[in-house]
Amino acid sequence: MHADTRRQAILDQLRDAAGPISAAALAAKFSVSRQIIVGDIALLRAAGAEISATPRGYVILPAPPGLVRQVACRHDAAGMEAELNAMVDQGCTVLDVTVEHPVYGQLTGPLQLSNRHEVAEFLRRCSQSDARPLSDLTEGIHLHTLSCPDEGAFQRVRAALAELGVLLQA
């Protein structure tokens, strides 16, 4: 398969997918290496494709439904599970995490976590990979972008995070 044809097929796969597709799965499907897929994704992005890399694989994200809001939090790695569960328990999707790096500026990691199962899987991957959270770079301070079904859900998230003692407030 020619590279241009493969890249179009990757784009079609991502558009039609019900969820994230890993680079390894795409590599197996197209009989190429994972690194070829990573390069293809980079070229597709450079051409304007809105492809996001999540912890579970690549996705083309639709515009989030409902209200998009941000919350500022501060906690150590041990507080991550309670924080994420407090957000998804109110019906919100945790779209990403952002930290302010002194050299690179804003660093954002996509999360796309909508329920406790997805939170547990994310935490399992973190522990298996020995990866540190982005918030370790900023002494625990970070932002989360949320997709909320309504303003009430967002206010419940803020109240739950305040109760946990992780919500940064002005």
Side-chain angles (χ1 to χ4, degrees), residues 41-170:
I41 295 293
L43 290 170
L44 287 166
R45 285 177 172 156
E50 295 287 332
I51 300 172
S52 291
T54 72
R56 294 183 310 269
Y58 295 113
V59 293
I60 296 178
L61 298 174
L67 304 172
V68 176
R69 298 283 190 266
Q70 285 192 317
V71 290
C73 298
R74 183 177 194 172
H75 59 79
D76 59 15
M80 188 163 42
E81 180 175 14
E83 173 208 43
L84 293 171
N85 281 333
M87 293 184 260
V88 300
D89 284 352
Q90 303 308 318
C92 298
T93 297
V94 185
L95 300 175
D96 60 35
V97 60
T98 300
V99 297
E100 188 68 33
H101 191 274
V103 175
Y104 299 112
Q106 252 187 10
L107 299 176
T108 300
L111 296 176
Q112 297 298 314
L113 305 172
S114 298
N115 56 56
R116 281 183 173 250
H117 173 73
E118 292 174 354
V119 168
E121 284 298 304
F122 171 73
L123 295 171
R124 181 186 60 75
R125 282 191 307 281
C126 287
S127 68
Q128 285 181 342
S129 70
D130 240 1
R132 296 174 37 203
L134 281 179
S135 60
D136 277 6
L137 299 171
T138 55
E139 298 178 4
I141 297 172
H142 58 285
L143 297 173
H144 283 292
T145 306
L146 306 174
S147 173
C148 305
D150 53 46
E151 188 63 33
F154 177 64
Q155 293 307 322
R156 290 190 305 275
V157 165
R158 289 181 51 79
L161 294 174
E163 187 174 315
L164 289 171
V166 301
L167 182 68
L168 282 180
Q169 300 185 54

Side-chain angles (χ1 to χ4, degrees), residues 7-19 21 26 44 47-51 58-62:
R7 283 191 282 278
Q8 184 58 51
I10 290 169
L11 202 52
D12 293 342
Q13 288 282 308
L14 293 173
R15 283 187 182 128
D16 295 340
I21 304 175
L26 289 168
L44 287 166
E50 295 287 332
I51 300 172
Y58 295 113
V59 293
I60 296 178
L61 298 174

